[in-house]
Amino acid sequence: MGFTIGALCVILLAVFIVQVGKARELASIVRNDPAEQDEINKFHTGLGMVFMVTFLSVCVVSFIYYIPTTLGWGPNIAASKHGPEVDYLFNLTLFFTFIVFVLTHIALFWFAWKYKGKQGKIGLYWAHNETLEMVWMIIPSVVMTFLVVGGLQAWNKIMLDLPEDSVSVILPEEDGEYLEIEATGTQFLWYLRYPGRDGKIGTKYFTQINSANQLGQTWTDEKNMDDFMTTEIVLPVGKPVRVRITARDVLHNFYIRDMRVKTDAVPGMPTYFNFTPTVTTDSMRRRLSQQPEWQVPDKKDDTKQRWEMFNYELACAELCGNGHYSMRNLVKIVSEEEYLDWLDEQEGGKLEEVVDSANGGETTYTYVPGSVKSQYFSKIFNTDKDPLKGKTADLEKLVENKLRVNVYMNKMREMRNNAELGSADYNNAEAAMNQLKPIQKVARTTTSVAESNAKLEEAKAIANSVKITPKEPVSVSVDSTVQDTTGN
């Protein structure tokens, strides 16, 4: 309310000043007094100088005020490997344009003041000055050359596609490996697709798009067998990512602000963007928690502070229709372990517990066929239209082995949590978990059934080697002498 009242006061003051100026001008015309016209010119040019000082001051103050929310300034440094270079170019351009902005406004209003209309003063007609023309041509040309060349170098570096011998995998670990995901824009949402454990995104064709196949995936392509779709982007920190960007209907724009990622999604013409996230979501929240502007209650949940509710966000930066605003998805940058846990959930698979009462209640696990959560298994597996019948055994075996390795890991975790801290059982279980972690990682990502089987046997041997120390029975001594409290 205070801001509204202040704005109205400023507007009314401006209207009053304008009206006063018009009244003086009309009075001067009626009286036909040259001296009064000079006074009016002086008054108007004086107002121009006041406006110039006020305007430039407001520009500087507002920039300082908005630094906490300005990209590349304050806490909003880039969260990707290429981001600092983008910020540097923006700041360099801002430096030169700010100088030009200030100087041209000072020149504009100062010239209006110095050369204002005055009785008896005749303007000098100055048609040509080669020196001045060369100055204002050469200086901007040199500055623009440096800016344009620097921008082109950054563009060629940032937008350079990956080498042809690069390999797409679900978890990049070596040079030349990358994670490729696909984002398809449509009015008004993003279809986000991951490649599954084979690291390869399956083919699609627009004629096969229907209500059960939103992307038109070609089910005869075995690479589609393990592809899955999500409503959020989850990426491991420090791993190179290639986003394959397409559109189904109109122009969209794939935009992750904090990563400095922005590329049009064009119907019929796939584009891409390569980047490497460098700051996890949790790390960014900790960074923002040090800023006073973020230590305030969040607008959506006043029980939490603003920094606690921060998330990276995918948005559409192209005006694509009435529902443009709704094209928002979370982007989570997590550790490698968190990413692998998330992949487990997306890949799916299920083991049913079977309790064998004949063997003292021993628990065994049976794999549930068809429990993988990929688009292929969710939409077409084992139906009349399934073109890959009989070809899913390897994938399901990989998923089954992964789940069994996870069972061994969970048993060790349960043993550790139930043991006393520092005890032999605790230490043994902790050591077994550390041995199982690399095995579990391979079981989650490998595409080789033989390797998966071998890792399962390793996990089984490690888990079976850890035994719980039997607890010694507690002996209770009973005093044979019973004291009579009655005194008898």
Side-chain angles (χ1 to χ4, degrees), residues 1-41:
M1 178 61 71
F3 175 79
T4 304
I5 294 174
L8 289 174
C9 290
V10 171
I11 294 172
L12 290 174
L13 178 61
V15 171
F16 173 76
I17 293 173
V18 171
Q19 293 301 325
V20 169
K22 286 184 176 181
R24 291 190 62 184
E25 185 176 357
L26 289 174
S28 173
I29 294 173
V30 171
R31 291 194 294 267
N32 193 22
D33 185 358
E36 188 166 356
Q37 182 62 46
D38 290 347
E39 288 297 319
I40 292 173
N41 293 341

Side-chain angles (χ1 to χ4, degrees), residues 226-410:
D226 59 356
D227 289 3
F228 60 89
M229 292 173 62
T230 70
T231 57
E232 61 185 12
I233 295 178
V234 178
L235 301 172
V237 66
K239 306 294 184 181
V241 179
R242 184 182 193 271
V243 187
R244 184 188 300 182
I245 304 168
T246 62
R248 271 190 8 177
D249 36 43
V250 299
L251 278 178
H252 299 280
N253 187 280
F254 185 90
Y255 178 46
I256 306 177
R257 185 194 68 170
D258 298 281
M259 302 291 161
R260 310 303 191 260
V261 173
K262 189 176 187 292
T263 300
D264 278 348
V266 185
M269 189 182 76
T271 54
Y272 65 89
F273 202 105
N274 303 316
F275 70 102
T276 301
T278 56
V279 183
T280 65
T281 301
D282 287 340
S283 296
M284 181 61 80
R285 287 175 179 171
R286 287 194 295 271
R287 178 192 298 174
L288 296 175
S289 69
Q290 306 301 316
Q291 304 297 320
E293 298 80 6
W294 289 81
Q295 297 174 2
V296 294
D298 187 73
K299 293 181 180 180
K300 296 181 180 179
D301 185 353
D302 58 8
T303 63
K304 294 184 178 180
Q305 289 194 317
R306 185 184 172 197
W307 64 266
E308 294 180 281
M309 300 297 289
F310 169 83
N311 280 296
Y312 296 123
E313 182 180 280
L314 163 65
C316 175
E318 193 80 35
L319 294 176
C320 57
N322 293 335
H324 158 75
Y325 66 92
S326 65
M327 295 184 68
R328 302 168 63 188
N329 296 77
L330 290 183
V331 179
K332 297 180 180 178
I333 309 301
V334 298
S335 66
E336 180 180 297
E337 187 172 348
E338 290 174 309
Y339 173 69
L340 289 172
D341 289 340
W342 179 79
L343 282 182
D344 262 358
E345 296 178 12
Q346 304 309 311
E347 186 176 54
K350 184 179 181 182
L351 292 177
E352 282 189 345
E353 292 188 7
V354 179
V355 179
D356 189 352
S357 56
N359 291 327
E362 181 181 358
T363 301
T364 59
Y365 297 88
T366 303
Y367 177 73
V368 179
S371 56
V372 178
K373 293 182 180 179
S374 70
Q375 289 297 105
Y376 167 82
F377 278 85
S378 302
K379 303 292 186 181
I380 203 170
F381 175 70
N382 259 356
T383 66
D384 295 337
K385 297 180 180 180
D386 184 354
L388 300 178
K389 287 183 178 179
K391 296 183 179 182
T392 61
D394 285 353
L395 175 59
E396 295 210 82
K397 185 60 178 175
L398 292 170
V399 175
E400 178 185 354
N401 288 349
K402 174 202 70 175
L403 294 173
R404 294 188 183 279
V405 171
N406 289 349
V407 168
Y408 292 128
M409 175 64 83
N410 291 335

Side-chain angles (χ1 to χ4, degrees), residues 419-474:
E420 183 181 350
L421 181 64
S423 65
D425 286 347
Y426 184 96
N427 293 334
N428 292 338
E430 182 77 17
M433 288 177 62
N434 291 333
Q435 291 179 284
L436 286 172
K437 281 181 180 179
I439 296 173
Q440 185 184 41
K441 179 179 177 180
V442 174
R444 287 167 160 174
T445 59
T446 185
T447 57
S448 168
V449 174
E451 184 179 31
S452 178
N453 288 335
K455 293 301 178 182
L456 176 60
E457 291 302 318
E458 286 184 44
K460 181 179 179 181
I462 292 171
N464 289 339
S465 67
V466 180
K467 305 295 183 182
I468 300 178
T469 305
K471 294 183 179 180
E472 296 181 1
V474 180

